[in-house]
Amino acid sequence: MAKVMGETASKSKGIPFQGRSLFYTLMLMMLAISVLYPLILLLINSFVITMPDGNQVFGIGNWIIAWQQPGMVESIINTFNRVFITELIAFPIAIFVVWLIARTDIPWKGCLDFFMWVAFFLPALPVLMGWILLLDPKFGLVNQMFINWFGMKQGPFNIYTFWGIVWMHLVTKSVAAKYILMLPAFRNMDASLEEASHMSGYGKVGTIIHTVIPMMMPTILISLIISLIHNLESFETEIILGPPGGFYVFSTKIYQLIMRDQPLYGAATVLGIVILLSITPLILYQYWISTKRKFITVTSHFKPAKIRLGSMKWPAFSFVFMFGLLITVVPAVFLLMGTFMKLFGFFTIEQPWTLQHWHQVLNDPILIHSIWNTVKLALGVAVGGMLWFSLLAYISVRSKFKFRGTVDFLTWLPACIPGILLGLGMLWMFLETPLLRTLYGTIFVLIIVVLISSMTTGVQLIKSNMVQLHSELEEASAVSGGSWLYTYRRVLLPILAPALLSVGIITFITASRSVAQITMLVTSKNRPLSILQLDYMVDGKYEAAAISGVFVVLLTIGVAILARTIGKKFGIKI
């Protein structure tokens, strides 16, 4: 069949083999410039020491300064402890939830699915503000209820602790993000594999352990690796909840170095490179998974079906429904309440509610300008991401390009660079390159930065679905005379449509709530809502910051509803 395909493909119309090689090479060059150039600038500057007279010399002074920072070892231990505990709890929950919704006849699965999507869409910072209203040790409503009901001197919960930070990760992105990453692959799994397991004597649990999880292993491992990397570079939750309890992680140490009165950019760059080196084994491992083993679950004989839960249907529904309420409705309601409070978090003052903050924010023209900038940024990233990431995934998985391994490796690098340092590297790239300098201050710059920062998740998500497609799908198109471009456009992309739309929505949300990556590249002309919210918080205007967060939530949920509506119209489940 492969021989027939090769003979037929060589005769087919469209892009010839030489043209494809040139196209792949151009893609590789674009990828290398966008990823390696800022990385090289970071590496060079880690060895650049500015002398008291202003001259710059090369040396290892920045490396010495970085490791001499007080609390550095403790922050590293804290980072890995927090990541390990979070993943240990979040991953079984995510696999169980995605299996229930994708593979069983659990009732109201559309509602449950929407809960998980909303949980992923909700920006971490506004959600965090909502949970602070509940779990703050001084004024948190839950703690106040325990004090009033049981006569305690203080409430049992403190969100400014290690377990408070773990809780925030569980109810913000950890479980929901894994669900988003794994759902398309679980939906595309051929039901005949589960039927074969049942015929072999395994029950529902045995089928999950011995059939579903092994078949989903590429998606599960890639999701785990992406989660580990994102957890390692997590910043927003730790920078707010960590300092009050003296809890610091790697990323907050980097932030401290940059935000000093005399920023230590060189030392901060050193720490970023250390993170990159620590994640390199994960990158190599995922590459081995993608290239050395086969996990095909979708063929031309694909058979969809759902597993019947029987008497466990409603208990399973109750579990997922309550979890969905906890991670979506509860924080959203308290976020909204915070926008109407005279003083954020103080429910006990006389007449705590007011509309004054809404009047002030809505009458500020900066808000409308920021909303429009956010829409342009998010749409640009979503459309560009679906096209660019799918091509990179194709080159990595399906092509015979000689340097496809290099393409795959480069797509992993952006996720290994902390957002603040990526933004710093991009700032140097745009300011020190004459051809790019004129773009500084435009939305285009922000789109490029967010595209690069979203590259790993987008490409790996598409790859995890692409590796499940049997080559016979392309062979059938080639035998019928379809060119490479025709096969890519009319065969692969329609099959991958749910994954592509997922990537589009994920990148849209990422762009809407990005802070660290773009904060150094934002000017008054291209400032989006997320940076406006950060500005409000820096100025101590938490009520206005919550209002900005509400607009981000409304924008992202609106996109989710629109995407689901369009998907249903064309028979695509998102």
Side-chain angles (χ1 to χ4, degrees):
M1 188 65 174
K3 181 180 181 182
V4 172
M5 178 188 172
E7 294 174 350
T8 307
S10 64
K11 298 176 182 177
S12 62
K13 296 180 293 184
I15 302 176
F17 178 76
Q18 293 81 1
R20 265 182 277 169
S21 296
L22 178 61
F23 175 70
Y24 296 156
T25 303
L26 290 175
M27 290 290 294
L28 175 59
M29 291 175 63
M30 289 176 55
L31 181 63
I33 292 173
S34 61
V35 175
L36 289 182
Y37 187 31
L39 199 63
I40 291 172
L41 290 176
L42 288 174
L43 182 61
I44 292 174
N45 281 278
S46 72
F47 291 100
V48 174
I49 304 171
T50 302
M51 305 302 290
D53 58 0
N55 293 325
Q56 292 183 331
V57 298
F58 282 91
I60 61 171
N62 290 327
W63 289 78
I64 296 174
I65 293 173
W67 291 106
Q68 287 180 339
Q69 296 301 307
M72 181 58 64
V73 175
E74 183 182 0
S75 70
I76 296 173
I77 295 173
N78 287 341
T79 300
F80 285 98
N81 278 343
R82 207 273 303 155
V83 170
F84 176 76
I85 296 298
T86 301
E87 294 300 323
L88 188 65
I89 299 173
F91 227 87
I93 296 175
I95 292 176
F96 184 56
V97 171
V98 72
W99 177 78
L100 284 173
I101 295 177
R103 307 300 304 168
T104 72
D105 63 344
I106 188 173
W108 295 85
K109 61 175 57 183
C111 172
L112 302 179
D113 179 62
F114 189 70
F115 269 138
M116 301 306 295
W117 275 93
V118 171
F120 180 74
F121 294 159
L122 289 174
L125 209 55
V127 172
L128 176 59
M129 296 175 73
W131 279 103
I132 287 175
L133 285 178
L134 286 169
L135 301 179
D136 186 279
K138 295 179 180 177
F139 56 74
L141 271 184
V142 175
N143 283 323
Q144 291 299 319
M145 290 169 59
F146 271 87
I147 292 173
N148 295 332
W149 290 352
F150 302 106
M152 296 179 175
K153 293 183 179 180
Q154 61 181 20
F157 303 107
N158 185 355
I159 199 169
Y160 304 102
T161 62
F162 172 82
W163 288 106
I165 293 173
V166 170
W167 171 257
M168 279 310 307
H169 280 276
L170 293 176
V171 296
T172 50
K173 292 186 292 185
S174 287
V175 175
K178 294 175 181 61
Y179 174 86
I180 299 295
L181 290 170
M182 294 188 291
L183 183 65
F186 271 73
R187 278 178 172 167
N188 287 338
M189 182 176 173
D190 192 342
S192 60
L193 300 170
E194 292 164 308
E195 292 176 357
S197 176
H198 290 309
M199 293 178 65
S200 300
Y202 288 116
K204 292 182 176 61
V205 176
T207 298
I208 294 175
I209 296 175
H210 295 285
T211 303
V212 176
I213 290 179
M215 294 306 300
M216 292 294 106
M217 194 52 69
T219 299
I220 291 174
L221 287 178
I222 289 174
S223 301
L224 176 61
I225 294 171
I226 292 175
S227 298
L228 287 172
I229 294 172
H230 284 184
N231 260 320
L232 282 171
E233 68 170 5
S234 177
F235 169 74
E236 294 166 303
T237 301
E238 284 78 2
I239 197 62
I240 294 176
L241 300 183
F247 183 85
Y248 295 92
V249 295
F250 214 105
S251 59
T252 54
K253 275 293 178 186
I254 291 176
Y255 182 75
Q256 282 185 330
L257 292 173
I258 293 178
M259 298 306 293
R260 291 162 58 112
D261 292 336
Q262 295 182 342
L264 298 175
Y265 291 112
T269 304
V270 169
L271 300 184
I273 293 173
V274 170
I275 292 179
L276 176 63
L277 294 176
S278 67
I279 299 175
T280 298
L282 295 177
I283 299 173
L284 298 176
Y285 183 57
Q286 74 81 32
Y287 180 68
W288 178 83
I289 293 172
S290 302
T291 57
K292 299 300 182 184
R293 302 181 65 180
K294 294 183 178 180
F295 297 87
I296 298 169
T297 61
V298 179
T299 69
S300 57
H301 308 292
F302 173 73
K303 179 183 178 182
K306 300 298 178 185
I307 296 174
R308 297 184 180 279
L309 292 175
S311 60
M312 295 303 296
K313 178 188 297 186
W314 290 106
F317 167 78
S318 300
F319 168 76
V320 182
F321 183 75
M322 294 302 294
F323 184 72
L325 284 179
L326 191 65
I327 61 178
T328 56
V329 177
V330 171
V333 167
F334 281 90
L335 168 67
L336 189 61
M337 289 173 62
T339 66
F340 294 105
M341 300 188 72
K342 283 184 179 178
L343 192 59
F344 188 82
F346 289 84
F347 291 90
T348 56
I349 64 174
E350 186 177 354
Q351 297 180 348
W353 310 108
T354 181
L355 290 173
Q356 181 183 358
H357 305 300
W358 279 93
H359 284 298
Q360 291 177 347
V361 173
L362 293 178
N363 290 325
D364 190 345
I366 294 176
L367 177 69
I368 304 301
H369 187 64
S370 298
I371 291 175
W372 179 232
N373 283 336
T374 303
V375 171
K376 290 189 292 184
L377 169 63
L379 284 178
V381 172
V383 175
M386 286 189 288
L387 178 60
W388 194 24
F389 298 161
S390 66
L391 289 172
L392 293 175
Y394 182 88
I395 295 173
S396 300
V397 175
R398 315 294 290 188
S399 76
K400 304 297 182 183
F401 185 45
K402 182 178 180 181
F403 299 103
R404 63 176 187 166
T406 305
V407 172
D408 186 40
F409 185 81
L410 289 177
T411 60
W412 272 92
L413 290 186
C416 308
I417 308 172
I420 291 176
L421 288 178
L422 177 61
L424 180 61
M426 297 302 293
L427 177 65
W428 287 334
M429 187 178 81
F430 279 101
L431 292 183
E432 295 186 2
T433 307
L435 291 176
L436 300 178
R437 195 172 300 154
T438 57
L439 297 175
Y440 178 74
T442 65
I443 285 292
F444 181 77
V445 172
L446 304 187
I447 291 174
I448 295 298
V449 174
V450 180
L451 269 177
I452 294 173
S453 67
S454 306
M455 184 185 298
T456 304
T457 300
V459 172
Q460 298 308 318
L461 177 57
I462 297 174
K463 276 180 56 183
S464 67
N465 287 265
M466 201 172 275
V467 296
Q468 293 180 314
L469 304 182
H470 200 285
S471 60
E472 66 185 31
L473 299 170
E474 294 173 79
E475 293 169 0
S477 176
V479 169
S480 302
S483 64
W484 172 83
L485 183 60
Y486 181 89
T487 302
Y488 180 77
R489 181 168 56 89
R490 299 299 299 271
V491 177
L492 292 182
L493 290 187
I495 295 175
L496 295 171
L500 291 176
L501 285 177
S502 297
V503 168
I505 294 173
I506 289 171
T507 51
F508 187 98
I509 304 307
T510 301
S512 300
R513 62 189 181 192
S514 289
V515 175
Q517 297 92 336
I518 64 176
T519 186
M520 295 185 182
L521 298 165
V522 166
T523 65
S524 59
K525 294 181 180 179
N526 63 357
R527 177 171 50 190
L529 268 175
S530 58
I531 298 299
L532 178 65
Q533 182 184 9
L534 180 65
D535 291 342
Y536 280 137
M537 295 191 71
V538 170
D539 293 338
K541 301 176 181 177
Y542 285 92
E543 300 82 6
I547 293 173
S548 300
V550 169
F551 278 101
V552 176
V553 170
L554 293 176
L555 179 65
T556 53
I557 292 179
V559 170
I561 295 174
L562 180 63
R564 290 171 70 91
T565 303
I566 295 175
K568 286 182 179 179
K569 184 177 180 180
F570 291 95
I572 298 172
K573 293 182 178 180
I574 302 174

